[in-house]
Amino acid sequence: MAEFMSIAKGWSVGAIVFRMVSAFLMGTIIGVERGIKRRGAGVKTHVLVCLGAALVMMTGEYIYLNFDGHTDIARIGAQVISGVGFLGVGTIIVTGKNQVRGLTTAAGLWACACLGLAVGIGFVEGAFITLILVMVTLKFLMKVDVWTHMYARIFDLYVEFSSIENVSEVRENLQKMDMKVCSFVVTKSRIKGEGPHAIVCIEVKNRKKRMEIIDEIRRMEGVEFLEELQ
């Protein structure tokens, strides 16, 4: 392993091949994890970002080595770090329920670019260590997110009403329950004939009663549909 790392730090055809193959593998691993979960950016996107970033970093090194060092070796790579942010923004969407989707994928693309830059300059061991930690984050910290959400005292509900008249009635009933309404944002439906919907933020005193409260709201008159936002 040490022999491979020493080759990667040098400047030869073997080093270039080793760096690019490493970037390809890292992009594939992260892309497969995102693809399995049906996210916007899959294997091809992550591989292309990682390969491109590696090539950019090696291009900076090539210019430095072949033009007597009259350039900043990190200048081109710095543009990748900021530029990939625009690509990541394209994967972030806000759904009709005001849920933000794609943040993890956008962060994954940015991390993928950084891995490519590290591999491109020959810092392969650091890139592989980071890759392991990135995969641990994507695979196992999701369970921490789920656990945190399950035991949170504050949560959001998406509620659809039969008509606009039912909104005030439901809101008054919520005020009488053993909880605090942090926010209540109502939006009219764009579809003719459908009632409005609302994003309701609720804080409960006892998180064990969370499901009971949700079921009670679901049974209220005028509530057509209710879903807890993740």
Side-chain angles (χ1 to χ4, degrees):
M1 189 65 179
E3 184 178 349
F4 282 113
M5 293 305 171
S6 62
I7 293 175
K9 292 179 186 299
W11 185 257
S12 64
V13 174
I16 294 171
V17 172
F18 182 75
R19 294 181 191 182
M20 294 304 288
V21 170
S22 297
F24 176 85
L25 291 175
M26 291 179 184
T28 300
I29 292 171
I30 297 176
V32 166
E33 195 281 336
R34 292 284 85 194
I36 289 174
K37 296 176 181 177
R38 306 299 297 170
R39 300 309 182 190
V43 179
K44 291 184 291 184
T45 304
H46 283 85
V47 169
L48 290 173
V49 168
C50 205
L51 286 175
L55 179 60
V56 163
M57 202 63 196
M58 284 192 292
T59 301
E61 185 177 5
Y62 175 83
I63 295 172
Y64 180 81
L65 294 173
N66 288 275
F67 292 90
D68 300 324
H70 296 307
T71 182
D72 181 2
I73 195 172
R75 180 177 297 174
I76 303 178
Q79 307 310 310
V80 172
I81 293 176
S82 59
V84 172
F86 290 96
L87 179 63
V89 168
T91 69
I92 302 174
I93 62 172
V94 180
T95 69
K97 300 176 182 179
N98 287 347
Q99 290 178 287
V100 179
R101 299 293 190 188
L103 282 174
T104 302
T105 299
L109 283 172
W110 189 81
C112 212
C114 294
L115 288 172
L117 292 175
V119 170
I121 200 62
F123 188 36
V124 181
E125 60 269 45
F128 272 109
I129 293 171
T130 304
L131 173 64
I132 293 171
L133 294 175
V134 167
M135 294 310 298
V136 169
T137 300
L138 293 175
K139 286 288 186 181
F140 299 106
L141 290 192
M142 178 178 289
K143 297 179 180 179
V144 177
D145 270 341
V146 173
W147 181 87
T148 303
H149 177 77
M150 287 178 59
Y151 289 94
R153 294 181 183 273
I154 300 176
F155 55 95
D156 295 323
L157 298 177
Y158 172 79
V159 186
E160 292 181 359
F161 302 94
S162 303
S163 64
I164 192 66
E165 290 78 15
N166 298 124
V167 174
S168 58
E169 296 177 9
V170 171
R171 189 165 188 172
E172 289 176 4
N173 290 331
L174 291 177
Q175 299 291 347
K176 298 175 184 178
M177 297 175 65
D178 186 25
M179 63 181 189
K180 177 183 177 183
V181 179
C182 301
S183 65
F184 195 103
V185 182
V186 181
T187 305
K188 292 183 179 180
S189 177
R190 297 180 180 179
I191 303 175
K192 188 176 181 180
E194 288 192 1
H197 60 266
I199 305 296
V200 185
C201 179
I202 292 174
E203 180 179 354
V204 295
K205 297 178 181 179
N206 187 351
R207 56 175 175 260
K208 294 181 179 179
K209 294 183 178 180
R210 179 172 174 165
M211 293 310 300
E212 296 178 14
I213 291 175
I214 292 175
D215 289 336
E216 188 174 346
I217 298 172
R218 187 178 282 115
R219 291 193 296 268
M220 287 183 181
E221 184 178 353
V223 175
E224 288 287 321
F225 176 79
L226 184 146
E227 179 185 15
E228 184 178 358
L229 299 180
Q230 301 296 322

